[in-house]
């Protein structure tokens, strides 16, 4: 039997201690007055500002990435040939901050130029589900009982760290809470 498509969403909870998270919040608060980048959704502030003292977060992302490389190397021969001998010092993590106001959402998109993508939620609890769209059923025309045609929904919590293959289309549903959704989104370039 051959697996035609396989993707996983790797999620971990409680990343960062109180001091680390507070420090990151403070750094974000200090730069929020800078205008948002132009490539963003309605009622979303975005910045590619690089923060100090976030080695703890970058290390957690790196750990997830190498776990994913090991996993996919066993599943996909082309991937394995390309990345089995990867120079672990040449991993590039490009990240940016998103702050979504109540009532806003992030529209469907993917990160095709990266290998893996993900998000770290500083504030995520009850701020809208992350929806991973099955690209085989992007038009919603497949029989819903057919294997693996359904979308996947993840309800993030504060301090959740998530990683998935970048080719997966995804969106974030409307923030129906009274709090801002604050996250650090990232792409991994190998």
């Amino acid at each position: 039997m051959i697996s035609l498509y396989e993707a996983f969403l790797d999620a971990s909870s409680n990343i960062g201690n109180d001091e680390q998270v507070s420090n990151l919040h403070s750094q974000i608060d200090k730069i929020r007055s800078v205008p948002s980048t132009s490539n963003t959704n309605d009622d979303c502030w975005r910045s590619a500002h690089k923060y100090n003292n976030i080695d703890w977060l970058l290390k957690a992302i790196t750990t997830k990435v190498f776990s994913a490389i090991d996993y996919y190397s066993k599943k996909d021969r082309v991937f394995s040939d390309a990345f089995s001998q990867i120079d672990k010092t040449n991993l590039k993590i490009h990240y940016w901050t998103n702050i979504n106001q109540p009532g806003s959402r992030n529209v469907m998109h993917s990160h095709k130029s990266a290998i893996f993508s993900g998000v770290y939620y500083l504030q995520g609890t009850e701020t809208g589900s992350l929806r991973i769209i099955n690209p085989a059923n992007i038009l919603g025309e497949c029989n819903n009982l057919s294997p693996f045609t359904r979308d996947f929904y993840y309800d993030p919590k504060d301090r959740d760290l998530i990683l998935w293959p970048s080719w997966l289309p995804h969106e974030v549903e409307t923030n129906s809470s009274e709090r801002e959704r604050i996250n650090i989104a990232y792409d991994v370039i190998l």
Side-chain angles (χ1 to χ4, degrees):
M1 188 174 297
I2 297 170
S3 176
L4 297 177
Y5 297 102
E6 187 164 340
F8 73 83
L9 181 130
D10 184 2
S12 298
S13 301
N14 297 316
I15 302 298
N17 63 39
D18 290 345
E19 181 181 337
Q20 292 164 331
V21 171
S22 177
N23 178 276
L24 184 52
H25 266 287
S26 294
Q27 290 184 69
I28 292 170
D29 285 342
K30 287 179 183 175
I31 65 161
R32 287 178 71 155
S33 61
V34 174
S36 178
T37 60
S38 59
N39 185 20
T40 190
N41 295 284
D42 291 341
D43 293 323
C44 177
W45 177 86
R46 182 172 293 167
S47 173
H49 182 81
K50 300 302 177 208
Y51 301 109
N52 297 317
N53 303 316
I54 63 163
D55 290 346
W56 57 274
L57 178 56
L58 297 175
K59 181 179 178 183
I61 292 170
T62 300
T63 298
K64 281 200 173 310
V65 169
F66 287 115
S67 176
I69 289 171
D70 289 344
Y71 176 84
Y72 285 111
S73 290
K74 296 172 187 161
K75 303 286 184 175
D76 182 332
R77 190 178 75 219
V78 173
F79 182 89
S80 177
D81 290 347
F83 298 112
S84 63
Q85 301 301 319
I86 186 170
D87 177 2
K88 293 184 179 186
T89 62
N90 200 22
L91 177 73
K92 292 183 177 75
I93 301 171
H94 169 68
Y95 65 87
W96 60 97
T97 306
N98 296 303
I99 300 178
N100 288 82
Q101 297 302 314
S104 67
R105 65 186 308 265
N106 289 18
V107 298
M108 183 173 52
H109 62 284
S110 65
H111 302 242
K112 295 177 187 173
S113 64
I115 301 294
F116 298 106
S117 296
V119 63
Y120 174 69
Y121 287 93
L122 272 81
Q123 288 182 191
T125 304
E126 298 180 2
T127 62
S129 298
L130 170 65
R131 177 182 173 216
I132 303 290
I133 295 115
N134 183 331
N137 194 23
I138 202 148
L139 299 177
E141 296 174 347
C142 295
N143 182 321
N144 198 36
L145 298 178
S146 190
F148 302 111
T149 58
R150 291 156 302 280
D151 295 343
F152 175 80
Y153 294 84
Y154 184 86
D155 294 322
K157 305 284 186 250
D158 297 356
R159 300 186 184 185
D160 280 359
L161 176 63
I162 305 167
L163 175 125
W164 63 84
S166 297
W167 57 268
L168 286 172
H170 56 282
E171 64 184 358
V172 184
E173 297 195 322
T174 302
N175 178 0
S176 57
S177 76
E178 296 298 318
R179 66 195 303 237
E180 295 174 321
R181 178 172 52 242
I182 303 174
N183 64 51
I184 305 291
Y186 62 90
D187 283 337
V188 177
I189 311 297
L190 302 174

